[in-house]
Amino acid sequence: MKLKKSWLLILLTLIISLMISACSSSDGGKDTATSVDKEGEAKPASEVPQEIVVRVNDDPDFLDPHKATASISYQMILNIFEGLMAPETDGSLKEGIAESYEISEDGLTYTFNIRQGVKFHNGDELTVEDIQYSFDRLMGKSGGEKMSNNFDNVASTAAPDANTFVITLKEPNSNFLYSLTGRQSAIIPKSNDGKHNENPIGTGPFAYEKYSPGTNLVLKKNENYWREGLPYLDKVTFAFQSDDQAAIMSLMANEVDLTSVPWQRVSEVEGSHNLSHQNNNSSLIVTFNETKAPFDNVKVRQAINYAISKTDIMDSVFAGYAVELGSNMSPAMGDYQKKGLEKMYAHDVKKAKALLAEAGYPDGFKTKITVSSHNDMYSNIAQIVVANLKEIGVDVEIEVVEWSIWLDRVYFGRDYQMTTIDLTGRASAFEILNDYISTNDGENFFLFKDAEYDQIMSDVLKETDQAKQIAYYQRAQEILAEQAAAVYIADYQIVWGSDKQISGLKSYPFWFHDMSEVKFAN
């Protein structure tokens, strides 16, 4: 009997010990089923809020997807809107609102089978009438202004039944499917006409909740999203903060959960936060208004290309997290990029001075570079440009303006002499290069004009053979380099810092904070 009692006592002790061990972790008893809130208090995993704060540099230019032009806008609003097609992270396309599609043998007719059960954020069922309305609006057929040049080649659109939408082209267009994502042709409800900017409504994973200019854009979960089980997050807040250094302080203080990290400060956050690297697939350029003297002279533009040190910019501004460019396409585009052009204008002050003299400016000239304040890197680049061009007698004044003013004066108004900006990456080689087509009034803010270039960009759309398409695109890049349409500096790498509990972040070959699969781990 004594033995039996002793055995029971030992067994009971063992069970209690195991229970205590099961509730403790190997790191000294910290409960692994908890998380830390913004004030540092431990919270049970079941109570972890699925809400994220994402820092972006500035406000969107428009919430209306058909009017938005700035890449910073699409970073956010592509969570609200969708198109017939959807982008993949590798640059390819998949079906979006369209469940399937067929292209006729002559390449002119695109027939889309529309996904059933898709609802707008206001609860209305998406119909082919909404799709028709969206394309009519983009093409200026609703009595308003044309909002996109992407559909000038469209001969007709039709909805033969409730589940089918047909687009017929005038001529074959090898790039046409890329015009059908949420970025280029978001599908919006006809019932919201006149209110698309004040109260944007789409079919995406998140719905618009509130926009506070200068502060944030708040989105909420689309409870009726057609992709079953998504999204995970209940709320997404895009917080506007132009100062990179202040953003890092906000990340370290758990005031934001995701932000880009200045290249020089990566080491400060790599232990406490997750870091991911994204090839930006953009072209950072210093460019000119080519209708204003002296930049209407190709020799002046070439001289500036020789004078500006790309190495100085890459080392000083990006701490080496960049790859040198020679034209308007990143190595991220693979075979489409023409390699070797980055060596065309190796830094050469003597050659730059000689070209200026040939152009009629032996003593240099005075000019102004206008840059946006929404990202510190533009001012930093401008300072290097000033120092480099001083060596060839060019006196450059730096003008720093707010992002909205830069868009209004430089991008839309073409009222500038020089500027620096990074042209956003896109999944399509054509869309990367079409900014320079002389008739592309919406995007060709450099006012570049070259007859051979225009012809190449017209011919490539009719070409179905990929190898020949690549040859066209590579020749187009050579023309941009030869004509010195800009100083093509680099494609820089973005380093993202995020809360260690976050998973599901995805990288695209263009700027898009896709929140559809993001969640906080329990």
Side-chain angles (χ1 to χ4, degrees):
M1 198 71 178
K2 266 189 178 180
L3 183 61
K4 189 173 182 180
K5 287 182 178 179
S6 299
W7 170 249
L8 288 173
L9 183 60
I10 293 170
L11 182 60
L12 181 60
T13 302
L14 179 60
I15 291 171
I16 292 171
S17 298
L18 287 171
M19 289 175 63
I20 293 172
S21 297
C23 295
S24 304
S25 66
S26 58
D27 62 355
K30 182 181 177 182
D31 189 346
T32 58
T34 64
S35 78
V36 178
D37 66 13
K38 301 294 183 189
E39 287 74 38
E41 296 294 327
K43 301 181 72 175
S46 60
E47 296 179 20
V48 175
Q50 292 297 319
E51 299 180 358
I52 192 170
V53 179
V54 182
R55 174 259 179 164
V56 292
N57 292 77
D58 214 325
D59 291 55
D61 59 342
F62 288 97
L63 296 178
D64 182 337
H66 294 174
K67 292 184 176 180
T69 59
S71 60
I72 204 167
S73 302
Y74 290 111
Q75 277 185 271
M76 300 175 268
I77 68 174
L78 287 180
N79 289 285
I80 302 174
F81 302 104
E82 297 176 304
L84 293 174
M85 303 298 291
E88 293 274 40
T89 54
D90 64 358
S92 62
L93 296 174
K94 64 180 177 181
E95 290 80 2
I97 289 174
E99 190 169 38
S100 61
Y101 67 93
E102 293 181 359
I103 305 174
S104 62
E105 288 187 13
D106 61 7
L108 295 177
T109 303
Y110 291 69
T111 303
F112 298 92
N113 179 40
I114 305 305
R115 195 179 300 277
Q116 297 303 293
V118 177
K119 289 186 177 183
F120 286 109
H121 299 143
N122 61 1
D124 293 348
E125 292 273 353
L126 177 142
T127 68
V128 287
E129 286 76 18
D130 295 305
I131 298 173
Q132 182 71 66
Y133 163 79
S134 299
F135 282 99
D136 284 349
R137 187 172 187 259
L138 286 161
M139 293 186 285
K141 291 187 174 182
S142 302
E145 62 176 320
K146 181 177 70 173
M147 296 185 174
S148 173
N149 293 324
N150 288 335
F151 306 101
D152 292 351
N153 186 36
V154 172
S156 65
T157 56
D161 59 56
N163 301 326
T164 308
F165 190 72
V166 180
I167 302 176
T168 303
L169 306 182
K170 300 171 187 175
E171 297 179 338
N173 183 325
S174 61
N175 188 69
F176 185 64
L177 284 176
Y178 281 95
S179 300
L180 303 179
T181 69
R183 190 183 188 284
Q184 289 82 6
S185 52
I187 305 303
I188 53 181
K190 184 177 181 179
S191 63
N192 197 42
D193 190 48
K195 297 178 286 186
H196 297 301
N197 198 57
E198 294 74 25
N199 182 38
I201 296 173
T203 62
F206 293 93
Y208 169 78
E209 181 171 298
K210 181 178 68 173
Y211 171 46
S212 302
T215 303
N216 59 38
L217 171 66
V218 182
L219 309 182
K220 61 184 177 181
K221 180 177 185 177
N222 177 6
E223 299 286 356
N224 297 312
Y225 191 43
W226 58 268
R227 290 177 65 191
E228 189 174 351
L230 296 179
Y232 301 113
L233 295 171
D234 297 314
K235 181 179 178 180
V236 179
T237 299
F238 291 104
F240 311 139
Q241 193 172 46
S242 62
D243 190 305
D244 287 336
Q245 310 309 320
I248 290 300
M249 298 300 292
S250 296
L251 180 68
M252 300 295 283
N254 294 320
E255 293 170 351
V256 302
D257 303 301
L258 172 67
T259 183
S260 59
V261 178
W263 300 274
Q264 293 86 352
R265 300 191 64 177
V266 168
S267 61
E268 296 178 39
V269 300
E270 59 185 352
S272 56
H273 292 76
N274 284 336
L275 292 179
S276 58
H277 299 71
Q278 178 182 356
N279 292 318
N280 200 33
N281 187 25
S282 70
S283 300
L284 176 70
I285 63 173
V286 173
T287 194
F288 332 92
N289 183 333
E290 297 190 18
T291 64
K292 292 189 176 183
F295 304 114
D296 56 347
N297 189 318
V298 65
K299 289 185 177 179
V300 170
R301 302 196 300 268
Q302 290 171 339
I304 292 174
N305 265 270
Y306 280 116
I308 292 177
S309 171
K310 299 179 186 180
T311 301
D312 286 353
I313 294 173
M314 291 168 63
D315 290 347
S316 177
V317 179
F318 304 114
Y321 287 92
V323 58
E324 186 177 352
L325 296 184
S327 190
N328 204 92
M329 192 170 290
S330 161
M333 293 302 294
D335 292 338
Y336 288 97
Q337 189 210 29
K338 175 66 176 178
K339 295 174 174 57
L341 295 177
E342 63 275 7
K343 305 301 180 186
M344 180 179 289
Y345 296 105
H347 186 53
D348 191 326
V349 173
K350 185 177 180 180
K351 189 173 287 187
K353 286 182 176 179
L355 281 166
L356 273 188
E358 290 176 28
Y361 299 93
D363 299 320
F365 55 87
K366 290 185 177 183
T367 189
K368 180 188 292 183
I369 184 166
T370 304
V371 300
S372 171
S373 63
H374 81 277
N375 194 316
D376 294 340
M377 75 176 179
Y378 302 125
S379 294
N380 294 337
I381 291 166
Q383 291 172 27
I384 295 172
V385 169
V386 168
N388 287 163
L389 295 189
K390 187 175 183 180
E391 294 184 67
I392 63 170
V394 176
D395 184 8
V396 184
E397 174 192 350
I398 299 176
E399 178 188 29
V400 182
V401 298
E402 293 182 0
W403 173 235
S404 59
I405 295 174
W406 188 94
L407 284 170
D408 184 57
R409 275 181 36 198
V410 177
Y411 191 82
F412 293 115
R414 275 74 178 195
D415 180 19
Y416 76 103
Q417 297 170 59
M418 294 180 67
T419 191
T420 181
I421 196 71
D422 52 314
L423 300 178
T424 183
R426 300 170 188 174
S428 155
F430 179 84
E431 290 179 9
I432 289 172
L433 295 174
N434 84 353
D435 288 2
Y436 297 88
I437 297 173
S438 63
T439 55
N440 187 357
D441 298 331
E443 296 174 303
N444 184 4
F445 70 99
F446 347 85
L447 299 173
F448 177 77
K449 188 173 183 178
D450 185 272
E452 183 187 357
Y453 189 91
D454 287 352
Q455 189 61 52
I456 285 173
M457 294 300 287
S458 174
D459 292 343
V460 74
L461 293 178
K462 304 167 191 173
E463 182 56 64
T464 57
D465 183 270
Q466 187 181 31
K468 292 179 180 178
Q469 289 175 8
I470 289 173
Y472 276 127
Y473 288 128
Q474 291 192 352
R475 176 56 192 152
Q477 292 166 66
E478 289 177 339
I479 294 171
L480 293 180
E482 292 163 2
Q483 293 298 312
V487 183
Y488 298 100
I489 306 294
D491 177 16
Y492 59 89
Q493 194 174 62
I494 302 174
V495 182
W496 298 107
S498 62
D499 187 294
K500 282 196 169 184
Q501 286 186 298
I502 292 175
S503 64
L505 294 171
K506 299 163 73 174
S507 294
Y508 291 82
F510 56 91
W511 283 56
F512 175 23
H513 280 311
D514 184 355
M515 297 286 108
S516 63
E517 298 181 26
V518 174
K519 62 182 176 181
F520 284 83
N522 289 337

